[in-house]
Amino acid sequence: MTISRRRVWAIARKELQEYRRDITVVAAMAILPVVFLVQPLVQVFTIPVSAAAALRHEHALLYLLGVPVLVPAALAAYSVVGERLQATLEPVLATPISRAELLLGKALAAFVPSICVAYGVFALFVAVVEVLARPEIASAFIQGPELLAQLLFTPLLVVWSIWVGIAVSTRVRDPRTAGQLALLVSLPTVAVTTLVAFNIIPATLPMALVLGAALLLLDLLGWRATSAFIDRERLITAT
Amino acid sequence: MAGSGAPALSVEHLSKHFGRRVAFDDVSFEVQRGEVFGFLGPNGAGKTTTVRTLCTLLAPTSGSATVAGLALVPANGERIRRRIAIMPESPGLYLRLSVLENLRCFADLYEVPSPAARIDHALRAVNLADRARDVCGSLSKGMRQRVALARALLTEPQVLFLDEPTSGLDPAAAREVHELIDELRRRGVTVFLTTHRLAEAERLCDRVAIFNTTMRVVGRPGDLRDRLFRREYAVRTAAPLPEPGRVFDGLPAVEGWRPDGVAGYVLAVSEPAVAVPEVTRALVAVGADVLSIAESRHSLEDVYWALIDQDKLADQSELAGRDKLTGQSKLIGQNKRSGPE
């Protein structure tokens, strides 16, 4: 199977142009991260210095991993059903594009803004804490292993959420349902990151490796499963 | 003008069913290269499904076809799609993107060489070169159709499928689309046109197929008229003939006549070259002032309705038959229930 980079980029570029001009997409990408910033920021600026030592045993920073789960799911959920709604799907499917190229183009278009938002929000949070929080609190919050976890888990979570979003988008007829369903299906992943953040699931190196391997496997399986949904007849007849 | 050689489209006993629902059944026809072929039928007849099947978007349930010289099989899907283009009923443009951005996307999807030149050429062909930077959402419906046509022309397709290209357009916009289709014919592009506008089909198409889930008839509009209706001539005289039967009955090649208005008569003729001079002589012989003798042409619409009405009648008699059978079985059931136990 040969993949045409030109066709993949044609889809990705078109999607990115559409995102940029769609106020609802821009709003979703702006609001979701803010929701995840509120709790840790409140904690940073309200916690007494005496609690800094205890804070070192928590992993509040990992709470921000909800951003790379929810933002791409919301974006990808619109990708197919949105085209069906605009009646733009049929002309695209009538071109020589393969299902892998279409899927990669759509995934790339959701990946780029999602990863930028996830890393951007995280960088903003770290910068605010480093500059404005008391040094004891800042050093308790921002720890090396958590920075590394954030860097490594973000793309894995983004990819998984994109497959979930696109898969949902191929199977429903209404964009609103697609968005809600994609967010709903992503909630277990957010639950896992939250449980790790609140130390209910121990944030150890073996656990990180297990979760990383599981996510990588899910990403590969997600690619295969979502590919199967990109079937011309199914997409055209919405069955 | 239709060309020679292998047909651009060849369809044999093609069917598409969605479960128990029949979209179209046992359809066979050929479209020659360079031909403008009209595919006519009422809403729900299966026209769009046929187009989608021939464009490899849906898999046929049975039968075979070749499209642009390639067998319609899944392995040829990408190659067929490279040789054809489709303009669906809805233009399907990205409304937040400009005309240029829309066409650029599709030029890349078709991997068109020198996309800028091709886009410019396609836009000139549909007279939209000056609107290239306009956002598609700001264009009128007619202009959107033209952008969709420009998109279909990016690749210089061997077969162009136009699915209801003037649906929802006002007469002026529809005329623009007709002119574009005429231009395509002059360039030798094979056009497969689905429509339920019969005047449009009559004006644009070399041949038409009348279709209602199954193929009803295929041919040139004139041939279809001749096949379905007798040739008729309308005679107008200054005053009503006192005894028209004595004038028209028994004339060579005149098969029958009927009055048409106060001083008008419609004659069914088998050979106009024989009948018309005979009729003229007969009218002059009885001293009638002849105002006109002209062929009374049936339109494609008459042909269409004759066939569709036949289908309706067949459906009604089938339903009536079914009702009768159901009634009988109910009666049998009642008899069984009321019989001795």
Side-chain angles (χ1 to χ4, degrees), chain B residues 167-192:
Chain B
S167 169
L169 296 188
D170 63 39
R175 195 171 70 176
E176 284 178 6
V177 173
H178 292 165
E179 284 166 3
L180 290 169
I181 295 171
D182 272 337
E183 176 59 26
L184 292 173
R185 178 212 307 279
R186 281 192 285 277
R187 286 163 50 184
V189 177
T190 308
V191 177
F192 187 93

PDB file of all heavy atoms in Angstrom, chain B residues 167-192:
ATOM      1  N   SER B 167     -30.720  21.070 -10.525  1.00  0.00           N
ATOM      2  CA  SER B 167     -31.717  20.956  -9.464  1.00  0.00           C
ATOM      3  C   SER B 167     -31.676  22.199  -8.572  1.00  0.00           C
ATOM      4  O   SER B 167     -30.616  22.563  -8.053  1.00  0.00           O
ATOM      5  CB  SER B 167     -31.413  19.700  -8.653  1.00  0.00           C
ATOM      6  OG  SER B 167     -32.181  19.680  -7.501  1.00  0.00           O
ATOM      7  N   GLY B 168     -32.802  22.829  -8.396  1.00  0.00           N
ATOM      8  CA  GLY B 168     -32.893  23.984  -7.499  1.00  0.00           C
ATOM      9  C   GLY B 168     -32.372  25.278  -8.093  1.00  0.00           C
ATOM     10  O   GLY B 168     -32.282  26.280  -7.388  1.00  0.00           O
ATOM     11  N   LEU B 169     -31.985  25.278  -9.369  1.00  0.00           N
ATOM     12  CA  LEU B 169     -31.465  26.507  -9.968  1.00  0.00           C
ATOM     13  C   LEU B 169     -32.593  27.286 -10.642  1.00  0.00           C
ATOM     14  O   LEU B 169     -33.547  26.698 -11.157  1.00  0.00           O
ATOM     15  CB  LEU B 169     -30.410  26.181 -11.023  1.00  0.00           C
ATOM     16  CG  LEU B 169     -29.131  25.497 -10.550  1.00  0.00           C
ATOM     17  CD1 LEU B 169     -28.137  25.433 -11.695  1.00  0.00           C
ATOM     18  CD2 LEU B 169     -28.520  26.236  -9.379  1.00  0.00           C
ATOM     19  N   ASP B 170     -32.455  28.619 -10.665  1.00  0.00           N
ATOM     20  CA  ASP B 170     -33.440  29.409 -11.396  1.00  0.00           C
ATOM     21  C   ASP B 170     -33.159  29.266 -12.901  1.00  0.00           C
ATOM     22  O   ASP B 170     -32.097  28.764 -13.289  1.00  0.00           O
ATOM     23  CB  ASP B 170     -33.423  30.872 -10.927  1.00  0.00           C
ATOM     24  CG  ASP B 170     -32.110  31.557 -11.210  1.00  0.00           C
ATOM     25  OD1 ASP B 170     -31.528  31.307 -12.282  1.00  0.00           O
ATOM     26  OD2 ASP B 170     -31.644  32.332 -10.360  1.00  0.00           O
ATOM     27  N   PRO B 171     -34.112  29.679 -13.766  1.00  0.00           N
ATOM     28  CA  PRO B 171     -33.926  29.442 -15.206  1.00  0.00           C
ATOM     29  C   PRO B 171     -32.624  30.010 -15.770  1.00  0.00           C
ATOM     30  O   PRO B 171     -31.991  29.388 -16.623  1.00  0.00           O
ATOM     31  CB  PRO B 171     -35.147  30.129 -15.827  1.00  0.00           C
ATOM     32  CG  PRO B 171     -36.172  30.104 -14.752  1.00  0.00           C
ATOM     33  CD  PRO B 171     -35.427  30.251 -13.465  1.00  0.00           C
ATOM     34  N   ALA B 172     -32.203  31.183 -15.272  1.00  0.00           N
ATOM     35  CA  ALA B 172     -30.975  31.783 -15.809  1.00  0.00           C
ATOM     36  C   ALA B 172     -29.755  30.936 -15.440  1.00  0.00           C
ATOM     37  O   ALA B 172     -28.886  30.658 -16.281  1.00  0.00           O
ATOM     38  CB  ALA B 172     -30.819  33.196 -15.267  1.00  0.00           C
ATOM     39  N   ALA B 173     -29.707  30.501 -14.181  1.00  0.00           N
ATOM     40  CA  ALA B 173     -28.572  29.683 -13.742  1.00  0.00           C
ATOM     41  C   ALA B 173     -28.596  28.326 -14.446  1.00  0.00           C
ATOM     42  O   ALA B 173     -27.542  27.782 -14.824  1.00  0.00           O
ATOM     43  CB  ALA B 173     -28.629  29.493 -12.226  1.00  0.00           C
ATOM     44  N   ALA B 174     -29.809  27.776 -14.641  1.00  0.00           N
ATOM     45  CA  ALA B 174     -29.928  26.490 -15.337  1.00  0.00           C
ATOM     46  C   ALA B 174     -29.434  26.623 -16.772  1.00  0.00           C
ATOM     47  O   ALA B 174     -28.746  25.736 -17.290  1.00  0.00           O
ATOM     48  CB  ALA B 174     -31.378  26.019 -15.320  1.00  0.00           C
ATOM     49  N   ARG B 175     -29.730  27.767 -17.397  1.00  0.00           N
ATOM     50  CA  ARG B 175     -29.276  27.959 -18.779  1.00  0.00           C
ATOM     51  C   ARG B 175     -27.753  28.018 -18.845  1.00  0.00           C
ATOM     52  O   ARG B 175     -27.137  27.485 -19.768  1.00  0.00           O
ATOM     53  CB  ARG B 175     -29.888  29.235 -19.363  1.00  0.00           C
ATOM     54  CG  ARG B 175     -29.750  29.268 -20.882  1.00  0.00           C
ATOM     55  CD  ARG B 175     -30.510  30.391 -21.498  1.00  0.00           C
ATOM     56  NE  ARG B 175     -29.873  31.671 -21.178  1.00  0.00           N
ATOM     57  CZ  ARG B 175     -30.297  32.842 -21.653  1.00  0.00           C
ATOM     58  NH1 ARG B 175     -31.352  32.887 -22.432  1.00  0.00           N
ATOM     59  NH2 ARG B 175     -29.688  33.962 -21.335  1.00  0.00           N
ATOM     60  N   GLU B 176     -27.140  28.631 -17.836  1.00  0.00           N
ATOM     61  CA  GLU B 176     -25.670  28.677 -17.807  1.00  0.00           C
ATOM     62  C   GLU B 176     -25.091  27.269 -17.752  1.00  0.00           C
ATOM     63  O   GLU B 176     -24.125  26.945 -18.439  1.00  0.00           O
ATOM     64  CB  GLU B 176     -25.188  29.460 -16.585  1.00  0.00           C
ATOM     65  CG  GLU B 176     -25.334  30.957 -16.742  1.00  0.00           C
ATOM     66  CD  GLU B 176     -24.898  31.707 -15.490  1.00  0.00           C
ATOM     67  OE1 GLU B 176     -24.378  31.054 -14.558  1.00  0.00           O
ATOM     68  OE2 GLU B 176     -25.075  32.917 -15.445  1.00  0.00           O
ATOM     69  N   VAL B 177     -25.713  26.415 -16.924  1.00  0.00           N
ATOM     70  CA  VAL B 177     -25.232  25.026 -16.814  1.00  0.00           C
ATOM     71  C   VAL B 177     -25.445  24.303 -18.144  1.00  0.00           C
ATOM     72  O   VAL B 177     -24.560  23.557 -18.593  1.00  0.00           O
ATOM     73  CB  VAL B 177     -25.936  24.303 -15.642  1.00  0.00           C
ATOM     74  CG1 VAL B 177     -25.580  22.822 -15.618  1.00  0.00           C
ATOM     75  CG2 VAL B 177     -25.562  24.944 -14.313  1.00  0.00           C
ATOM     76  N   HIS B 178     -26.572  24.561 -18.799  1.00  0.00           N
ATOM     77  CA  HIS B 178     -26.828  23.928 -20.109  1.00  0.00           C
ATOM     78  C   HIS B 178     -25.756  24.325 -21.113  1.00  0.00           C
ATOM     79  O   HIS B 178     -25.258  23.488 -21.874  1.00  0.00           O
ATOM     80  CB  HIS B 178     -28.200  24.353 -20.648  1.00  0.00           C
ATOM     81  CG  HIS B 178     -29.334  23.798 -19.852  1.00  0.00           C
ATOM     82  ND1 HIS B 178     -30.611  24.275 -19.958  1.00  0.00           N
ATOM     83  CD2 HIS B 178     -29.380  22.809 -18.926  1.00  0.00           C
ATOM     84  CE1 HIS B 178     -31.397  23.604 -19.133  1.00  0.00           C
ATOM     85  NE2 HIS B 178     -30.663  22.717 -18.491  1.00  0.00           N
ATOM     86  N   GLU B 179     -25.385  25.596 -21.084  1.00  0.00           N
ATOM     87  CA  GLU B 179     -24.356  26.063 -22.029  1.00  0.00           C
ATOM     88  C   GLU B 179     -23.017  25.374 -21.746  1.00  0.00           C
ATOM     89  O   GLU B 179     -22.271  25.024 -22.665  1.00  0.00           O
ATOM     90  CB  GLU B 179     -24.209  27.584 -21.933  1.00  0.00           C
ATOM     91  CG  GLU B 179     -25.369  28.306 -22.630  1.00  0.00           C
ATOM     92  CD  GLU B 179     -25.453  29.783 -22.277  1.00  0.00           C
ATOM     93  OE1 GLU B 179     -24.586  30.274 -21.526  1.00  0.00           O
ATOM     94  OE2 GLU B 179     -26.412  30.434 -22.744  1.00  0.00           O
ATOM     95  N   LEU B 180     -22.746  25.167 -20.467  1.00  0.00           N
ATOM     96  CA  LEU B 180     -21.494  24.486 -20.113  1.00  0.00           C
ATOM     97  C   LEU B 180     -21.504  23.032 -20.595  1.00  0.00           C
ATOM     98  O   LEU B 180     -20.489  22.512 -21.069  1.00  0.00           O
ATOM     99  CB  LEU B 180     -21.281  24.534 -18.591  1.00  0.00           C
ATOM    100  CG  LEU B 180     -20.964  25.914 -18.031  1.00  0.00           C
ATOM    101  CD1 LEU B 180     -21.048  25.901 -16.516  1.00  0.00           C
ATOM    102  CD2 LEU B 180     -19.571  26.339 -18.464  1.00  0.00           C
ATOM    103  N   ILE B 181     -22.668  22.392 -20.482  1.00  0.00           N
ATOM    104  CA  ILE B 181     -22.757  20.996 -20.940  1.00  0.00           C
ATOM    105  C   ILE B 181     -22.608  20.946 -22.466  1.00  0.00           C
ATOM    106  O   ILE B 181     -21.942  20.058 -22.999  1.00  0.00           O
ATOM    107  CB  ILE B 181     -24.080  20.353 -20.462  1.00  0.00           C
ATOM    108  CG1 ILE B 181     -24.088  20.270 -18.933  1.00  0.00           C
ATOM    109  CG2 ILE B 181     -24.250  18.950 -21.062  1.00  0.00           C
ATOM    110  CD1 ILE B 181     -25.415  19.860 -18.324  1.00  0.00           C
ATOM    111  N   ASP B 182     -23.195  21.920 -23.152  1.00  0.00           N
ATOM    112  CA  ASP B 182     -23.011  22.008 -24.611  1.00  0.00           C
ATOM    113  C   ASP B 182     -21.530  22.142 -24.959  1.00  0.00           C
ATOM    114  O   ASP B 182     -21.039  21.535 -25.912  1.00  0.00           O
ATOM    115  CB  ASP B 182     -23.779  23.218 -25.159  1.00  0.00           C
ATOM    116  CG  ASP B 182     -25.213  22.857 -25.517  1.00  0.00           C
ATOM    117  OD1 ASP B 182     -25.475  21.666 -25.764  1.00  0.00           O
ATOM    118  OD2 ASP B 182     -26.058  23.764 -25.543  1.00  0.00           O
ATOM    119  N   GLU B 183     -20.831  22.949 -24.174  1.00  0.00           N
ATOM    120  CA  GLU B 183     -19.402  23.159 -24.412  1.00  0.00           C
ATOM    121  C   GLU B 183     -18.632  21.847 -24.198  1.00  0.00           C
ATOM    122  O   GLU B 183     -17.716  21.511 -24.960  1.00  0.00           O
ATOM    123  CB  GLU B 183     -18.889  24.263 -23.463  1.00  0.00           C
ATOM    124  CG  GLU B 183     -17.400  24.542 -23.505  1.00  0.00           C
ATOM    125  CD  GLU B 183     -16.894  24.961 -24.876  1.00  0.00           C
ATOM    126  OE1 GLU B 183     -17.683  25.501 -25.672  1.00  0.00           O
ATOM    127  OE2 GLU B 183     -15.697  24.695 -25.168  1.00  0.00           O
ATOM    128  N   LEU B 184     -19.031  21.093 -23.184  1.00  0.00           N
ATOM    129  CA  LEU B 184     -18.386  19.794 -22.924  1.00  0.00           C
ATOM    130  C   LEU B 184     -18.612  18.852 -24.106  1.00  0.00           C
ATOM    131  O   LEU B 184     -17.709  18.121 -24.514  1.00  0.00           O
ATOM    132  CB  LEU B 184     -18.953  19.154 -21.649  1.00  0.00           C
ATOM    133  CG  LEU B 184     -18.615  19.855 -20.340  1.00  0.00           C
ATOM    134  CD1 LEU B 184     -19.375  19.226 -19.188  1.00  0.00           C
ATOM    135  CD2 LEU B 184     -17.124  19.777 -20.070  1.00  0.00           C
ATOM    136  N   ARG B 185     -19.819  18.882 -24.658  1.00  0.00           N
ATOM    137  CA  ARG B 185     -20.119  18.032 -25.810  1.00  0.00           C
ATOM    138  C   ARG B 185     -19.189  18.395 -26.970  1.00  0.00           C
ATOM    139  O   ARG B 185     -18.616  17.530 -27.617  1.00  0.00           O
ATOM    140  CB  ARG B 185     -21.572  18.233 -26.222  1.00  0.00           C
ATOM    141  CG  ARG B 185     -21.997  17.431 -27.454  1.00  0.00           C
ATOM    142  CD  ARG B 185     -23.046  18.165 -28.265  1.00  0.00           C
ATOM    143  NE  ARG B 185     -24.175  18.570 -27.453  1.00  0.00           N
ATOM    144  CZ  ARG B 185     -25.174  17.759 -27.114  1.00  0.00           C
ATOM    145  NH1 ARG B 185     -25.172  16.521 -27.512  1.00  0.00           N
ATOM    146  NH2 ARG B 185     -26.154  18.208 -26.389  1.00  0.00           N
ATOM    147  N   ARG B 186     -19.011  19.711 -27.187  1.00  0.00           N
ATOM    148  CA  ARG B 186     -18.143  20.149 -28.291  1.00  0.00           C
ATOM    149  C   ARG B 186     -16.707  19.675 -28.066  1.00  0.00           C
ATOM    150  O   ARG B 186     -15.984  19.393 -29.005  1.00  0.00           O
ATOM    151  CB  ARG B 186     -18.176  21.680 -28.419  1.00  0.00           C
ATOM    152  CG  ARG B 186     -19.418  22.187 -29.131  1.00  0.00           C
ATOM    153  CD  ARG B 186     -19.280  23.659 -29.499  1.00  0.00           C
ATOM    154  NE  ARG B 186     -19.418  24.547 -28.361  1.00  0.00           N
ATOM    155  CZ  ARG B 186     -20.590  24.952 -27.865  1.00  0.00           C
ATOM    156  NH1 ARG B 186     -21.714  24.558 -28.414  1.00  0.00           N
ATOM    157  NH2 ARG B 186     -20.636  25.755 -26.829  1.00  0.00           N
ATOM    158  N   ARG B 187     -16.311  19.580 -26.782  1.00  0.00           N
ATOM    159  CA  ARG B 187     -14.944  19.127 -26.477  1.00  0.00           C
ATOM    160  C   ARG B 187     -14.817  17.616 -26.485  1.00  0.00           C
ATOM    161  O   ARG B 187     -13.748  17.076 -26.228  1.00  0.00           O
ATOM    162  CB  ARG B 187     -14.515  19.695 -25.117  1.00  0.00           C
ATOM    163  CG  ARG B 187     -14.192  21.176 -25.196  1.00  0.00           C
ATOM    164  CD  ARG B 187     -14.157  21.843 -23.852  1.00  0.00           C
ATOM    165  NE  ARG B 187     -13.334  21.131 -22.882  1.00  0.00           N
ATOM    166  CZ  ARG B 187     -13.220  21.496 -21.611  1.00  0.00           C
ATOM    167  NH1 ARG B 187     -13.873  22.529 -21.155  1.00  0.00           N
ATOM    168  NH2 ARG B 187     -12.460  20.817 -20.787  1.00  0.00           N
ATOM    169  N   GLY B 188     -15.929  16.914 -26.697  1.00  0.00           N
ATOM    170  CA  GLY B 188     -15.882  15.458 -26.812  1.00  0.00           C
ATOM    171  C   GLY B 188     -15.879  14.709 -25.497  1.00  0.00           C
ATOM    172  O   GLY B 188     -15.517  13.529 -25.441  1.00  0.00           O
ATOM    173  N   VAL B 189     -16.290  15.368 -24.420  1.00  0.00           N
ATOM    174  CA  VAL B 189     -16.349  14.694 -23.113  1.00  0.00           C
ATOM    175  C   VAL B 189     -17.629  13.845 -23.070  1.00  0.00           C
ATOM    176  O   VAL B 189     -18.691  14.301 -23.485  1.00  0.00           O
ATOM    177  CB  VAL B 189     -16.374  15.732 -21.962  1.00  0.00           C
ATOM    178  CG1 VAL B 189     -16.504  15.050 -20.613  1.00  0.00           C
ATOM    179  CG2 VAL B 189     -15.146  16.611 -22.005  1.00  0.00           C
ATOM    180  N   THR B 190     -17.504  12.622 -22.583  1.00  0.00           N
ATOM    181  CA  THR B 190     -18.686  11.778 -22.383  1.00  0.00           C
ATOM    182  C   THR B 190     -19.405  12.266 -21.131  1.00  0.00           C
ATOM    183  O   THR B 190     -18.789  12.376 -20.064  1.00  0.00           O
ATOM    184  CB  THR B 190     -18.275  10.304 -22.196  1.00  0.00           C
ATOM    185  OG1 THR B 190     -17.439   9.939 -23.277  1.00  0.00           O
ATOM    186  CG2 THR B 190     -19.479   9.404 -22.117  1.00  0.00           C
ATOM    187  N   VAL B 191     -20.671  12.572 -21.269  1.00  0.00           N
ATOM    188  CA  VAL B 191     -21.426  13.094 -20.120  1.00  0.00           C
ATOM    189  C   VAL B 191     -22.579  12.145 -19.809  1.00  0.00           C
ATOM    190  O   VAL B 191     -23.356  11.781 -20.705  1.00  0.00           O
ATOM    191  CB  VAL B 191     -21.974  14.510 -20.413  1.00  0.00           C
ATOM    192  CG1 VAL B 191     -22.814  15.010 -19.246  1.00  0.00           C
ATOM    193  CG2 VAL B 191     -20.837  15.488 -20.686  1.00  0.00           C
ATOM    194  N   PHE B 192     -22.670  11.749 -18.566  1.00  0.00           N
ATOM    195  CA  PHE B 192     -23.781  10.923 -18.081  1.00  0.00           C
ATOM    196  C   PHE B 192     -24.619  11.831 -17.184  1.00  0.00           C
ATOM    197  O   PHE B 192     -24.184  12.211 -16.101  1.00  0.00           O
ATOM    198  CB  PHE B 192     -23.226   9.722 -17.302  1.00  0.00           C
ATOM    199  CG  PHE B 192     -24.270   8.722 -16.895  1.00  0.00           C
ATOM    200  CD1 PHE B 192     -24.561   7.635 -17.695  1.00  0.00           C
ATOM    201  CD2 PHE B 192     -24.950   8.853 -15.696  1.00  0.00           C
ATOM    202  CE1 PHE B 192     -25.518   6.701 -17.322  1.00  0.00           C
ATOM    203  CE2 PHE B 192     -25.908   7.925 -15.310  1.00  0.00           C
ATOM    204  CZ  PHE B 192     -26.191   6.848 -16.129  1.00  0.00           C
TER     205      PHE B 192
END
